[in-house]
Amino acid sequence: MSENILVGVAWPYPNGSLHLGQIAGAYLPADIFARYNRIVGNRVLMVSGSDQFGTPIAVRAEQEGRNPQELVDGYHTEYLDCWERLGISFDLYTSTGTQNHIETAQDIFLKLYKQGDLYLKTMDQTYCVQEGRFLPDRYVEGTCPHCAYVGARGDQCDNCGRSLDAVDLINPRCRFDGSTPERRPSEHFFIKLSAYNERLREWLTTGHEHWRKHVMGFALGILNEGLKDRAETRDLEWGVPIPVEGFESKRMYVWFENVIGYLSAAKEWSQKQGTPDAWKDWWQDPAAKIYYFIGKDNLWFHTLTWPAQVMMYGGLNQPYDVPANQYLNFGGGKASTSLGTAPFLPEYLGRFDPDTLRYYLSATMPESDDSEFSDDDLVRRNNEELVSTWGNLVNRVLTITYRNFDGRVPDPGELRQTDEDLLTAGETMLASVGASIGACKFREGLRGAFAYAQEVNRYLNQEEPWKADLESAARSLYVAINAIDALKLALYPYLPFTSAKLHKLLGHGRSEIGDDGWVTERATPGRPLQPPEPLFKKLDAPALKETA
C-alpha cells in the first residue's frame, strides 16, 4: 500500500557555497531515500530551501558591505544550479523569504502567544558599546559553559551540540571588533519549553525504536537535564516580523521560524500544483511519515524544540524519523562554510562527474561516526571500486555481447542451476538493498549492491565467455545482462546519471528506471542493445592535483 512520505531536508544558510560535508550529511541521503521511495510507489514530497534569515547571512553581508538580500539571491541561484548538476531531486526548493513562509510562521507564533505558550519576559542581552547596538547571537563568540569549547557561538556550540544564549558564554567577545559586550535588558517572547519536557519524553520513548542511537541519546540526555524556556525573538531588523503590535523593531529567532519551513514549503508546493489542501496529506494524515535529514549540529531543533512547537500548535504530524548524520571532516576538522574550511561543491562539480561524487560521499557517509574526506581516497575508490568492480563489469559484458550476438540480447538456451542461483541472488540483493535504503542505512545498501557486483564478476571469470563457444557464451552473457539490470536498479538511487545511461544501453528504449517498481524482469532474447559506452573514467592522481 502506498504511503505519503515527506522528506524534509536541512535548510542551508545562503552565506557561501555548499560544501561536501553538507551534501554527505543531509542532501545526498535524502535524495537516495526519496528516489527509492518514489520507485516503490510511495507518494514522496521532498522539500527544503534557503534559510535566508539566519544571522550568518547578516554577518557575511556586513563583512562585505552588502545588502543581505543581495547575498541571499546570489547563493540561492547557485544552490539551484548545484542541485540540478548533482541530481538532488527536490520537489520544491524554496526560501524562508517567501510571503507564504512568513505568513505560516506568523500564524504559528500568534497562536502560541494567544494560548500562553509564548510569553513576554525581560532578559539580559549582549550589547556592544563600541557599535551602539544589541548583538545577534552569531555576532558573539566565546567559551561554551557546558564543554569549555573556546569557539562556541552565541546560539549554539558545534562541539557538544547544545543550544546556547549569548549571555551564557564565558569570556564573550564581539565578533567584529573583539570587544567585551555588556549585558543590557531587553523584552522578548519566551517559549514554554519547560512545560513540555515530559510530553516530549513520552513521545520520544514510544514507538521510536528505529531512531539512530546517537539521535535518541542526544534528545533524551537534554530532557533528563530538563528543558528551559528560551527567547524566540531577537533585537535585529533582518528576519520574520513579529505579528504583535509594539514589537516592530524585533524579529523571530531564526530557529523558531526556519523549521516551520517544512510546513510552509508543503503548502507552497500544494498551491503551485493547484491543490491548495494537498499539504494535509503529509501533515495531518496520521498514516503519513515525516523524515528530517539533517546534520548532528541541528539535533536540538529537530528532536526537541520543533516537536514542542508542533505539540503546542496541534493538529500536525510529528517526525517519524530524524536520521541525522555525523560530520564529514576535512583535513582533520569539521567542514565550515563560514570559516571557508571545506571542499566546496561547485569546485568539485567542475572537476568530477556527479556520480563519482555521489558514490564516494555515499561510501563514506558519516551515518554513525564522523568520517574523513580526502582527494586521494576519492580517486582510489573511484578507480578500485566504481571503475574496476562495477564499470568494467558492465563494459566487458555489453562489449562482448554486442560484438558477438549482433547487438542483441542472446538466447541463453537452457539455464544451469548455477545460472539460476546467480539470478536468484540478484533478486535477493535487490530486496536487501531496498530494505537498507528504506531503513536509512545507505552505506549498508551500497555495500550490498557492490558485493553482488563482485559475485557477478566471479561468475563471469569462471564462465569466460570471451573464450567459450557461442552457445555457452550466450548463456553466461544472458545471465550477466540480467544481473547487471538488477544492479542498475539497486544503484539508481545512488548513481542516477550512469544508471539512466545504462538503462538505455541495455535496450529499454523510452521506459524509465523503476517504471515497473523495485523489481526486474528477465530480458527478452533478441532485444536490441545500444552500442556500449564506458560509464566511468579512471582518475589520475597527478592530473587531479594539476587541476586543483
Side-chain angles (χ1 to χ4, degrees):
M1 182 177 177
S2 176
E3 292 184 304
N4 292 328
I5 295 181
L6 181 79
V7 179
V9 198
W11 294 55
Y13 293 134
N15 67 320
S17 294
L18 296 159
H19 61 70
L20 298 187
Q22 292 170 295
I23 305 306
Y27 304 100
L28 182 55
D31 185 67
I32 294 168
F33 184 76
R35 286 178 181 274
Y36 166 74
N37 275 282
R38 291 184 187 117
I39 287 180
V40 298
N42 289 327
R43 190 174 173 220
V44 174
L45 179 59
M46 177 170 158
V47 298
S48 184
S50 296
D51 182 5
Q52 76 171 51
F53 292 126
T55 47
I57 290 94
V59 170
R60 178 74 177 266
E62 188 163 335
Q63 288 173 333
E64 297 180 2
R66 301 167 66 187
N67 180 284
Q69 191 63 55
E70 179 185 356
L71 190 73
V72 166
D73 292 343
Y75 282 113
H76 182 76
T77 300
E78 181 182 294
Y79 293 177
L80 290 171
D81 177 64
C82 285
W83 302 142
E84 182 176 0
R85 293 169 64 191
L86 190 60
I88 306 299
S89 56
F90 285 114
D91 293 290
L92 178 68
Y93 184 81
T94 181
S95 85
T96 56
T98 65
Q99 190 59 34
N100 164 71
H101 174 75
I102 291 171
E103 291 174 358
T104 303
Q106 289 178 332
D107 170 63
I108 292 179
F109 188 98
L110 203 54
K111 182 177 181 182
L112 268 55
Y113 175 53
K114 288 180 178 179
Q115 67 191 27
D117 285 313
L118 284 172
Y119 63 93
L120 282 167
K121 176 184 173 182
T122 298
M123 62 179 289
D124 282 347
Q125 288 220 272
T126 50
Y127 185 89
C128 182
V129 177
Q130 293 188 25
E131 298 181 25
R133 61 172 174 172
F134 286 102
L135 295 174
D137 296 335
R138 290 229 178 181
Y139 284 43
V140 187
E141 296 177 342
T143 300
C144 175
H146 300 287
C147 69
Y149 176 60
V150 296
R153 304 187 306 266
D155 63 339
Q156 183 178 340
C157 176
D158 283 342
N159 185 57
C160 68
R162 293 174 182 268
S163 180
L164 302 174
D165 286 318
V167 293
D168 295 331
L169 290 174
I170 300 170
N171 300 321
R173 59 188 178 277
C174 175
R175 179 168 179 169
F176 289 104
D177 58 36
S179 65
T180 301
E182 293 183 353
R183 291 190 177 199
R184 292 194 180 183
S186 181
E187 190 175 37
H188 285 279
F189 290 87
F190 277 65
I191 190 168
K192 281 187 178 179
L193 293 176
S194 59
Y196 287 82
N197 198 91
E198 294 313 306
R199 284 184 60 183
L200 285 167
R201 187 198 307 277
E202 181 181 358
W203 166 68
L204 281 169
T205 54
T206 305
H208 291 84
E209 295 79 9
H210 55 282
W211 280 33
R212 293 178 178 176
K213 289 183 179 180
H214 72 272
V215 175
M216 183 63 74
F218 174 87
L220 291 179
I222 298 297
L223 291 175
N224 288 339
E225 295 180 7
L227 288 173
K228 298 179 181 179
D229 297 353
R230 286 183 52 83
E232 298 295 349
T233 53
R234 295 294 186 268
D235 290 295
L236 69 163
E237 299 176 354
W238 180 246
V240 176
I242 307 301
V244 179
E245 187 176 351
F247 293 89
E248 291 77 13
S249 64
K250 300 181 190 293
R251 296 292 183 269
M252 290 185 199
Y253 174 43
V254 66
W255 278 105
F256 177 89
E257 55 87 7
N258 60 7
V259 286
I260 296 171
Y262 302 115
L263 173 62
S264 66
K267 290 184 175 181
E268 182 182 344
W269 176 87
S270 300
Q271 290 282 353
K272 289 184 174 181
Q273 301 304 307
T275 53
D277 291 332
W279 63 272
K280 296 177 182 178
D281 294 343
W282 289 275
W283 281 98
Q284 294 185 344
D285 179 359
K289 292 180 179 178
I290 295 176
Y291 291 76
Y292 294 135
F293 287 86
I294 59 169
K296 67 179 179 180
D297 52 341
N298 290 339
L299 278 174
W300 174 284
F301 307 103
H302 289 79
T303 64
L304 297 170
T305 57
W306 171 232
Q309 288 173 236
V310 169
M311 286 181 182
M312 295 170 187
Y313 189 76
L316 299 175
N317 287 333
Q318 293 284 13
Y320 174 78
D321 199 1
V322 184
N325 274 355
Q326 306 278 0
Y327 291 143
L328 178 70
N329 291 326
F330 177 68
K334 175 179 176 286
S336 169
T337 296
S338 299
L339 298 176
T341 56
F344 289 105
L345 180 59
E347 175 195 352
Y348 276 76
L349 282 171
R351 294 163 58 186
F352 299 98
D353 291 334
D355 276 359
T356 296
L357 286 177
R358 289 178 66 109
Y359 175 75
Y360 180 68
L361 294 178
S362 296
T364 57
M365 194 174 286
E367 291 177 349
S368 57
D369 297 291
D370 289 356
S371 58
E372 182 77 16
F373 173 91
S374 78
D375 283 345
D376 289 341
D377 193 42
L378 187 157
V379 170
R380 180 189 67 80
R381 298 194 76 148
N382 174 83
N383 294 346
E384 295 179 5
E385 299 166 11
L386 201 54
V387 174
S388 295
T389 299
W390 174 227
N392 285 348
L393 168 63
V394 171
N395 196 53
R396 62 176 175 165
V397 167
L398 294 186
T399 298
I400 297 170
T401 303
Y402 198 86
R403 182 191 308 132
N404 293 282
F405 295 93
D406 203 23
R408 295 177 181 275
V409 175
D411 186 338
E414 185 175 352
L415 297 181
R416 303 172 312 175
Q417 188 59 49
T418 53
D419 305 323
E420 293 287 359
D421 288 345
L422 186 69
L423 295 177
T424 300
E427 296 171 359
T428 302
M429 174 276 301
L430 198 55
S432 177
V433 170
S436 295
I437 295 175
C440 299
K441 298 177 180 179
F442 305 110
R443 291 177 66 172
E444 179 181 275
L446 188 63
R447 285 195 297 267
F450 267 74
Y452 182 63
Q454 291 169 337
E455 187 177 348
V456 179
N457 272 308
R458 287 192 293 270
Y459 167 86
L460 207 64
N461 290 336
Q462 290 170 358
E463 295 296 321
E464 297 184 319
W466 50 88
K467 291 183 180 179
D469 59 80
L470 282 180
E471 183 178 338
S472 297
R475 176 183 47 75
S476 61
L477 289 170
Y478 176 84
V479 171
I481 285 173
N482 283 282
I484 286 170
D485 212 19
L487 279 163
K488 170 211 69 185
L489 181 58
L491 290 171
Y492 168 73
Y494 300 91
L495 310 173
F497 296 99
T498 50
S499 295
K501 180 179 179 180
L502 177 56
H503 189 68
K504 302 301 181 187
L505 294 179
L506 288 167
H508 288 288
R510 295 184 179 180
S511 70
E512 299 293 333
I513 295 178
D515 279 353
D516 298 322
W518 195 251
V519 294
T520 58
E521 295 184 359
R522 293 189 181 181
T524 302
R527 185 178 73 199
L529 303 172
Q530 288 192 1
E533 300 175 17
L535 297 180
F536 309 101
K537 58 186 178 184
K538 190 172 183 179
L539 299 174
D540 182 71
L544 172 68
K545 294 176 181 177
E546 289 171 8
T547 61

